[in-house]
Amino acid sequence: MNNDNYLAFDVGGTNVKWGLITSAGTILEKGSFSAGNGCGETILAAVKEKIAFFRSSVNGIAVSAPGFIHPSTGFIEMGGAIQEFDQFNLQTYLEEASGLPVSVENDVNCVALAEKWLGSGRELNDFCCLTIGTGIGGALFLNNELYRGHAFRGGEFGFMITKGLHNVSPEQDSLSTCASMTSIREKYAEYYSLPFEEVTGEKVFEEYDRKNPVAVNIIEDFYETLAIGIYNIVSVLNPEKVLIGGGITSRPSFLEELKSHLVYIDRVFDLSVDTCHFKNDSGLIGALAFFKKKYSPDSKKLKTNFERSI
């Protein structure tokens, strides 16, 4: 067994990323597999297969997953994009399956931990992370501590209402519903009467770049709604920086396009907005950061509401 290597998983509703990582945070090997449209059974089977392959060469398993997660136990109260993970102890399940120590932490908390450990948040005491994907996720570092909230729901920016209530259920007007990659795909698919599965975020942005008026309207509304969410976050918390993650951040013009909707807040709050340093690897790096903290010599000091930075 190589005590310097760990196996990390970043579970999402569309894909699950995995990485073989050293204790210093260097990714030696990585890949991904389908989440089967958020199917818990599919995810667990593939995760166990990957663990079996690396079992003899790693010292532990670090997992980043969506939902409301009790970090001390690995119990997932609500699985978010993975509904089959509701009321499920993923840590216990994987420990029994592998015989290795396991940690499980909220996915965007992992992004923030990665940025604090080795990324763009190293020198910051107060910053927010916001991720754009199947939904909108968030995490908070306040006074140099990861803030989870009393029920592990701190930083759930995706639940914010950004443009008023227009539906029976508030969730239908949430930031996740209105400014995620899912919302972009749904709007485009609905307009052109296409199956949702045939429409990718990349396709909609390609049409936006071609000045397709339908795509332009959808993407401009996406940026405006996202900006409103950032306005609200910053006006309440006044962080030093907002770091944005998700596949969309690989778009070269993403920051410029977003910032064109943030002129007012930049003038009032002197805000810095940037992309996450580790891009799509943030969840893997952050999962390991949490694992190292959880199983460090002072792991008994791990709190339920807060955690000291790495």
Side-chain angles (χ1 to χ4, degrees):
M1 178 184 296
N2 187 335
N3 289 333
D4 191 47
N5 292 346
Y6 299 84
L7 185 60
F9 294 94
D10 183 10
V11 179
T14 304
N15 294 298
V16 178
K17 306 179 191 70
W18 63 268
L20 180 65
I21 312 178
T22 71
S23 63
T26 301
I27 298 178
L28 302 175
E29 187 178 347
K30 66 179 180 179
S32 66
F33 51 83
S34 172
N37 292 319
C39 175
E41 185 177 350
T42 298
I43 292 169
L44 292 175
V47 165
K48 287 195 295 182
E49 182 178 337
K50 194 63 63 177
I51 289 173
F53 182 82
F54 285 104
R55 171 67 180 80
S56 62
S57 59
V58 297
N59 197 42
I61 300 165
V63 181
S64 162
F68 304 147
I69 299 173
H70 297 217
S72 59
T73 64
F75 177 77
I76 302 177
E77 190 172 338
M78 189 182 84
I82 320 297
Q83 293 185 8
E84 290 176 48
F85 282 0
D86 289 358
Q87 300 296 306
F88 178 59
N89 194 310
L90 182 58
Q91 177 180 319
T92 299
Y93 179 90
L94 293 180
E95 285 176 342
E96 292 176 351
S98 67
L100 292 169
V102 176
S103 68
V104 183
E105 174 61 293
N106 171 269
D107 49 3
V108 192
N109 283 349
C110 284
V111 172
L113 287 167
E115 296 301 313
K116 182 63 180 176
W117 181 25
L118 297 170
S120 301
R122 282 176 292 181
E123 305 301 322
L124 302 177
N125 289 320
D126 298 275
F127 68 92
C128 302
C129 285
L130 188 149
T131 58
I132 306 166
T134 305
I136 299 291
L140 301 168
F141 249 89
L142 303 177
N143 296 321
N144 212 33
E145 296 180 337
L146 177 63
Y147 178 75
R148 293 192 176 89
H150 80 96
F152 314 107
R153 289 155 172 77
E156 289 291 345
F157 305 143
F159 286 92
M160 285 194 303
I161 307 301
T162 54
K163 289 189 175 182
L165 292 171
H166 305 288
N167 294 284
V168 175
S169 171
E171 287 83 359
Q172 292 177 279
D173 294 304
S174 69
L175 191 61
S176 278
T177 302
C178 300
S180 64
M181 299 309 296
T182 302
S183 71
I184 289 172
R185 296 170 61 199
E186 286 177 342
K187 291 174 183 177
Y188 191 90
E190 181 181 359
Y191 185 89
Y192 286 106
S193 300
L194 296 170
F196 174 76
E197 295 75 17
E198 292 183 7
V199 177
T200 63
E202 290 84 354
K203 175 180 176 60
V204 183
F205 272 96
E206 286 172 3
E207 291 301 308
Y208 172 75
D209 291 334
R210 293 190 182 103
K211 309 300 183 185
N212 175 327
V214 173
V216 168
N217 182 64
I218 291 171
I219 299 303
E220 286 299 313
D221 185 66
F222 158 77
Y223 278 126
E224 179 184 325
T225 307
L226 188 60
I228 291 171
I230 294 174
Y231 281 141
N232 293 339
I233 293 165
V234 171
S235 64
V236 173
L237 298 172
N238 189 27
E240 298 169 77
K241 183 175 285 191
V242 173
L243 299 173
I244 301 178
I248 182 60
T249 61
S250 62
R251 177 176 170 81
S253 56
F254 169 76
L255 270 182
E256 179 183 352
E257 290 163 354
L258 174 60
K259 287 180 178 180
S260 70
H261 294 265
L262 291 170
V263 176
Y264 170 77
I265 200 165
D266 184 51
R267 186 172 71 246
V268 175
F269 289 97
D270 190 27
L271 174 68
S272 175
V273 178
D274 204 350
T275 56
C276 291
H277 176 76
F278 289 105
K279 307 293 184 183
N280 275 340
D281 292 333
S282 294
L284 297 174
I285 300 293
L288 177 60
F290 177 67
F291 181 98
K292 286 162 62 70
K293 180 64 180 180
K294 183 179 179 72
Y295 293 104
S296 68
D298 64 346
S299 60
K300 291 182 179 180
K301 296 179 182 178
L302 181 65
K303 303 176 183 179
T304 57
N305 292 348
F306 298 89
E307 181 182 15
R308 294 291 177 183
S309 61
I310 303 300

